[in-house]
Amino acid sequence: MKMNRKFAAAACALAVWGTLAGAPVMTAQAADATPIPAVRPALADDVRRALQTFEVPGMAVAIVSHGEVLWARGFGVRKLGEPTPVDGKTLFEVASNSKAFTAATLAMLVDEGKLAWNDPVTKHLPGFQMYDSYVTGQMTVRDLLTHRSGLGLGAGDLLWWPSTQFSTDEIIDRLRYVKPATSFRASYAYDNLLYIVAGKIIAAKTGKPWGEAVQERILTPLGMSDTKTSVADMLASSDYSAPHSKIHDKIAVVKPMPVPNAVGAVGINTSAEDIARWMNLLLKQGKTPDGKQLISAKQVAELWSEQTPMPIKEPKPPLAATKPNFLSYGLGFQLRDYKGHKIAMHGGALQGFYSTVLMVPDQELGIAILTNAENSPAMASLYYTILDAFLDVPQKTDWIGLYAAQEAAMHKEELERQGKERKARVASSKPSLPLASYDGEYEDAWYGKASIRAEGGKRIMRFERTPDLSGELEHFQHDTFIVRWKERNFNADAYVTFALNPDGSIERMKMAPISTETDFSYDFRDLTFTPVKATSTK
């Protein structure tokens, strides 16, 4: 899934919020009475501005420094159109920021001698199998966490995203059918499936489900009493945020996306107050406030040690200062530098929620930003603003303005690209076969079945184990169609192209996202569907 960004804030009274995308005017939570050194009062205004600029209904922000919680509070509303404000206890899905909890739980098991980072995965999960037998035998526990398995970006994510009916065990079993994109340990490519495997190892070694193990080993000792390890538990609580997505470029409330089969990768739902406790644990090298060594300092250092080099992209000139000198992935954390300081950070994204957790170890500084919208620039602009304040960067940069301008330019560029693609199509072309000939069941080696059927005068594509992946097919050109998903907030409409055999029968069906803005977890490109031949019965 997408990597995300963060923000944090300041000391000073924050008075009244203005209207945000139709939300009612509301009074924000009172600021802490104790001033926060190094955080300028105007930072609260930056939060207000970011919410409005990027159309984010609600946000929770935590800042910790040298073991103290400087700020753990909310901004905006939990749900667009309703007045209830976000507060320090409001729960948000934090998606891939859960990976650090999985890595830390494994680190505890290493401390206890129950496993080693370089143990083969098959030592703990004998049935584990990758596409290549060599990789199966060589894959270690460490490899599960470092995005260097040879799988492509987001490979196999359609097994759990959006919500599917596959069990965790089924997802792990189907890894053997997902073809690698590169050689083993040759390069970085972000994945989620192997964190699901890591969560399964935790269950195997503790004798408890991932959620119970994390609750017992991390959440309870830290007093993270509000945090939940499933979306279902979050929705049963009294203080949680609703997810929001853009539909036709307008922010709207959308339904939550439960992912009980992928908890090792994306299972944590937490608040500003609780995430502050988590950051302080790590910044204090694994010690709780009462002095208990929950994770050894050695293993915390291991989590933040470089494992896999990551490519460094050249930012647009206005954002040149964001370019790191080094960039790599550790164990559940991305590692980079900013203004001469090492940073350990991660992002998270699920339907309607983005989050970022960032720590500067040599400053004992932690910043977390949890949002109920899908907007990375909102968080990036704010966490750079906060970092500059704490690191005493002399030149003030309008990060909000810069990121807003870049977001608008990139979106405009993408819309223009799609427009050119539509104009270039051969509009007069016809499908090679009668439309009814494309109907039927199709099967991919790792995902399973999809179908095309005539329903109410339309042709509907359905993914068998993913209820929300259902949409209407419309002809684009030649033997390429477009599937427009019923759930319009997915922003994942895709090309569907058929290849024919010499006799005119369908050989295969391939897919590709239309938009470059589509989340990489819609890994349609990795699917190769072939027709399911009907079996005769006598």
Side-chain angles (χ1 to χ4, degrees):
M1 282 155 321
K2 303 167 191 168
M3 305 288 287
N4 307 302
R5 315 277 182 147
K6 16 198 146 152
F7 158 71
C12 64
L14 179 58
V16 179
W17 285 94
T19 302
L20 172 64
V25 174
M26 50 181 285
T27 302
Q29 177 185 352
D32 298 326
T34 305
I36 303 174
V39 182
R40 54 190 179 80
L43 209 50
D45 296 328
D46 292 329
V47 182
R48 281 199 299 270
R49 181 183 168 206
L51 288 174
Q52 188 163 11
T53 298
F54 299 105
E55 296 183 89
V56 176
M59 178 183 291
V61 179
I63 306 175
V64 301
S65 178
H66 297 283
E68 297 296 322
V69 179
L70 303 184
W71 219 13
R73 55 177 298 184
F75 299 90
V77 294
R78 298 184 205 169
K79 186 175 183 180
L80 199 62
E82 297 184 5
T84 309
V86 174
D87 59 33
K89 292 183 176 294
T90 302
L91 295 175
F92 293 76
E93 296 178 43
V94 297
S96 285
N97 275 302
S98 308
K99 289 179 169 64
F101 287 82
T102 293
T105 305
L106 287 172
M108 293 178 178
L109 294 172
V110 172
D111 278 336
E112 296 164 14
K114 294 181 178 177
L115 57 79
W117 290 118
N118 295 324
D119 282 350
V121 172
T122 53
K123 178 178 178 179
H124 305 290
L125 296 179
F128 172 78
Q129 187 175 330
M130 298 290 285
Y131 186 85
D132 184 277
S133 60
Y134 172 81
V135 176
T136 299
Q138 294 298 310
M139 181 80 72
T140 65
V141 175
R142 184 188 304 274
D143 290 322
L144 295 176
L145 308 184
T146 54
H147 308 299
R148 63 188 187 190
S149 67
L151 292 175
L153 175 64
D157 278 354
L158 285 169
L159 290 169
W160 65 274
W161 161 298
S163 301
T164 72
Q165 298 166 344
F166 294 105
S167 69
T168 297
D169 287 343
E170 284 180 301
I171 292 172
I172 294 173
D173 183 68
R174 288 176 182 237
L175 261 170
R176 69 193 65 196
Y177 303 115
V178 182
K179 293 182 180 179
T182 65
S183 299
F184 183 47
R185 297 179 184 151
S187 61
Y188 170 88
Y190 191 83
D191 77 79
N192 289 290
L193 296 197
L194 294 180
Y195 269 84
I196 296 174
V197 177
K200 186 68 176 180
I201 288 180
I202 289 171
K205 303 311 293 183
T206 63
K208 299 177 180 179
W210 176 89
E212 288 185 23
V214 171
Q215 180 75 51
E216 180 181 284
R217 290 169 170 270
I218 297 176
L219 306 183
T220 298
L222 285 182
M224 295 176 68
S225 56
D226 295 322
T227 299
K228 310 298 181 185
T229 56
S230 75
V231 172
D233 286 346
M234 180 187 79
L235 297 177
S237 69
S238 60
D239 188 351
Y240 65 88
S241 186
H244 300 79
S245 300
K246 289 282 185 76
I247 301 177
H248 303 303
D249 283 338
K250 185 176 181 180
I251 194 74
V253 179
V254 297
K255 64 184 181 183
M257 181 176 147
V259 283
N261 50 6
V263 289
V266 294
I268 295 292
N269 308 269
T270 192
S271 65
E273 290 185 8
D274 276 6
I275 205 71
R277 295 180 174 94
W278 167 241
M279 292 190 293
N280 271 334
L281 171 75
L282 296 169
L283 290 166
K284 287 298 182 181
Q285 297 184 314
K287 280 189 178 181
T288 62
D290 61 5
K292 180 181 178 182
Q293 194 75 49
L294 202 61
I295 312 170
S296 70
K298 177 182 177 181
Q299 292 308 326
V300 173
E302 192 72 14
L303 299 180
W304 289 348
S305 63
E306 296 88 345
Q307 305 287 330
T308 306
M310 297 172 60
I312 296 175
K313 297 180 180 179
E314 195 68 39
K316 298 288 185 182
L319 299 177
T322 67
K323 182 179 179 180
N325 293 299
F326 81 90
L327 182 63
S328 62
Y329 202 88
L331 301 176
F333 291 93
Q334 183 191 105
L335 308 168
R336 55 161 294 169
D337 65 294
Y338 180 68
K339 302 297 182 183
H341 299 274
K342 179 179 178 178
I343 289 175
M345 63 184 293
H346 213 285
L350 276 173
Q351 181 171 285
F353 292 98
Y354 275 18
S355 62
T356 302
V357 177
L358 176 154
M359 285 162 282
V360 188
D362 68 0
Q363 301 293 298
E364 291 191 34
L365 170 66
I367 302 165
I369 303 173
L370 319 178
T371 75
N372 58 10
E374 299 171 1
N375 191 284
S376 292
M379 295 184 293
S381 62
L382 288 170
Y383 76 64
Y384 278 118
T385 300
I386 295 171
L387 282 173
D388 284 356
F390 271 92
L391 300 179
D392 200 23
V393 176
Q395 182 177 353
K396 185 179 183 301
T397 300
D398 179 13
W399 292 113
I400 295 172
L402 289 176
Y403 270 99
Q406 175 168 285
E407 180 186 44
M410 291 178 68
H411 186 56
K412 180 182 177 183
E413 183 179 308
E414 170 57 19
L415 293 178
E416 290 174 348
R417 186 196 66 78
Q418 290 185 38
K420 290 177 182 178
E421 213 165 64
R422 286 193 298 270
K423 288 180 181 179
R425 75 187 181 106
V426 184
S428 61
S429 65
K430 304 293 183 184
S432 300
L433 305 173
L435 291 180
S437 296
Y438 298 94
D439 292 352
E441 281 192 332
Y442 297 82
E443 189 165 21
D444 172 76
W446 58 262
Y447 174 80
K449 291 180 180 178
S451 66
I452 297 173
R453 295 278 187 268
E455 298 180 19
K458 301 176 181 179
R459 297 220 120 61
I460 304 299
M461 169 179 269
R462 299 182 185 277
F463 276 50
E464 183 180 71
R465 305 288 291 276
T466 313
D468 286 340
L469 277 183
S470 170
E472 182 181 352
L473 282 177
E474 65 179 51
H475 185 246
F476 182 69
Q477 65 177 348
H478 304 299
D479 287 323
T480 294
F481 297 76
I482 290 174
V483 59
R484 300 202 183 278
W485 305 113
K486 183 178 179 181
E487 298 290 337
R488 299 311 300 152
N489 62 289
F490 284 174
N491 190 22
D493 291 348
Y495 292 117
V496 181
T497 300
F498 296 86
L500 305 183
N501 291 308
D503 65 0
S505 61
I506 295 171
E507 178 196 12
R508 66 181 182 275
M509 178 178 74
K510 293 283 290 181
M511 299 177 68
I514 291 173
S515 174
T516 61
E517 296 175 344
T518 295
D519 192 286
F520 64 73
S521 285
Y522 293 101
D523 54 326
F524 299 125
R525 283 192 178 89
D526 295 339
L527 298 168
T528 300
F529 285 108
T530 56
V532 176
K533 295 180 180 179
T535 56
S536 60
T537 57
K538 294 183 180 181

